[in-house]
Amino acid sequence: MLEEIKNAVIEASRIMLEAKDSKIDTLSKEGHANFVTEYDSRMQKELFGRLAKILPEATFMGEEDNASNSFTDKGYLFVIDPIDGTTNFIRQNHTSCISVGLLKEGECVLGVVYNPYKNELFCAEKGRGAYLNGCPIRVSDEPLPNSILLFGTSPYYEELAEPAFDIAYHYFRKCLDLRRSGSAAIDLCDVACGRADLYFELRLSPWDYAAGSLIIKEAGGYILGCGLTPLQFRQPQSVIAYGKGITKEDLAYFAEKSL
Ligand code: IPD
Ligand code: CA
Ligand code: CA
């Protein structure tokens, strides 16, 4: 089934690649700087259609078109972000991806994250390891002083700017340097393959992290929610993901400040 899902994602990505910036009309969604394009919606429809053929008994949760409240921990549930990194997509920054997680009885058992611009496909199946374009990947074992930190600004929630930058500043003083990509799913995969060592964001939605959470875990890393609790897929939450060199003490500041 993984191969079929990978192919469905690659096929759907053609819609994204067709877009040229002069043609991308944007609409505003709820929250600060939250945009949506016709492509987000078209991509979601395309993915739902293709994936339903692969696993007809599955239900769907997706960011667009009011498909966001359909969490269930019964049976199979696809949790999909049709374009993660929409602001990058609008600006043709090429740091955007499709993120498809498959939950079984509420647990993520399969994840695919594909950035068609770089032709990078990350995937994982529970118990079978994580891969980038078919090659096994592992998280790093860099300790915090040698680490590259990724963080998300939770841009749609203005009230989170201050605590997010406070946490980022705290870690910035302890690590090598800090990056902000604009795609949570790509950030998670970058930690999974050791390009970075720690990632946090104060509010993400399940479709941002479902697939990436399994890819991180299968690559030997860790991912936790608010206050370092186990991740859930029911509603938005804080997320922190990290490699093997990050210690419990390193996480204390995030644990204290995460909301
Ligand atoms: C956003 C991106 C961004 C993250 C936001 C997400 P979207 O997703 O992943 O990096 O900081 O929290 O909502 O809206 O581009 O799908
Ligand atoms: Ca997203
Ligand atoms: Ca999205």
Side-chain angles (χ1 to χ4, degrees), residues 30 44 53 63-64 88 95 101 103 108 119 122 147 169 174 204 222 241 243 245 252:
E30 200 185 325
Q44 182 165 299
K53 283 187 193 139
E63 182 174 13
E64 311 304 338
N88 286 341
T95 310
L103 271 50
C108 194
N119 194 25
F122 292 88
S147 69
Y169 182 60
K174 294 177 183 291
L204 286 179
Y222 308 91

Side-chain angles (χ1 to χ4, degrees), residues 238-259:
S238 300
V239 169
I240 188 161
Y242 49 97
K244 290 200 170 299
I246 305 297
T247 66
K248 270 216 164 100
E249 294 73 59
D250 296 334
L251 301 175
Y253 199 78
F254 174 85
E256 187 194 319
K257 301 279 175 169
S258 60
L259 317 148

Side-chain angles (χ1 to χ4, degrees), residues 27-66:
L27 292 170
S28 287
K29 291 207 287 190
E30 200 185 325
H32 171 259
N34 192 3
F35 303 112
V36 64
T37 72
E38 59 163 296
Y39 292 95
D40 297 80
S41 197
R42 274 175 62 195
M43 287 285 295
Q44 182 165 299
K45 277 200 196 94
E46 182 75 19
L47 287 161
F48 279 19
R50 286 181 181 274
L51 296 169
K53 283 187 193 139
I54 298 170
L55 193 58
E57 66 266 43
T59 56
F60 288 84
M61 181 183 191
E63 182 174 13
E64 311 304 338
D65 305 327
N66 301 318

Side-chain angles (χ1 to χ4, degrees), residues 84-121:
D84 184 53
T86 291
T87 306
N88 286 341
F89 171 71
I90 293 165
R91 304 296 294 268
Q92 293 284 292
N93 170 294
H94 292 185
T95 310
S96 309
C97 65
I98 297 158
S99 177
V100 174
L102 178 63
L103 271 50
K104 187 180 178 191
E105 317 296 341
E107 189 194 359
C108 194
V109 292
L110 185 153
V112 173
V113 172
Y114 181 51
N115 177 349
Y117 303 105
K118 286 175 89 176
N119 194 25
E120 286 193 338
L121 191 143

Side-chain angles (χ1 to χ4, degrees), residues 7 23 85 87-88 104 129 141 145 147-148 161 190-191 202 204 208 234 256:
N7 287 336
K23 286 198 214 136
T87 306
N88 286 341
K104 187 180 178 191
D141 53 10
S147 69
I148 292 181
D190 280 348
V191 173
L202 284 182
L204 286 179
D208 297 315
R234 204 173 279 276
E256 187 194 319

Side-chain angles (χ1 to χ4, degrees), residues 151-157 160-161 164-165 180 199-203:
F151 89 116
T153 53
S154 300
Y156 315 141
Y157 309 98
L160 296 180
F165 279 89
R180 179 352 179 210
Y199 162 74
F200 82 86
E201 184 148 358
L202 284 182
R203 196 167 303 152

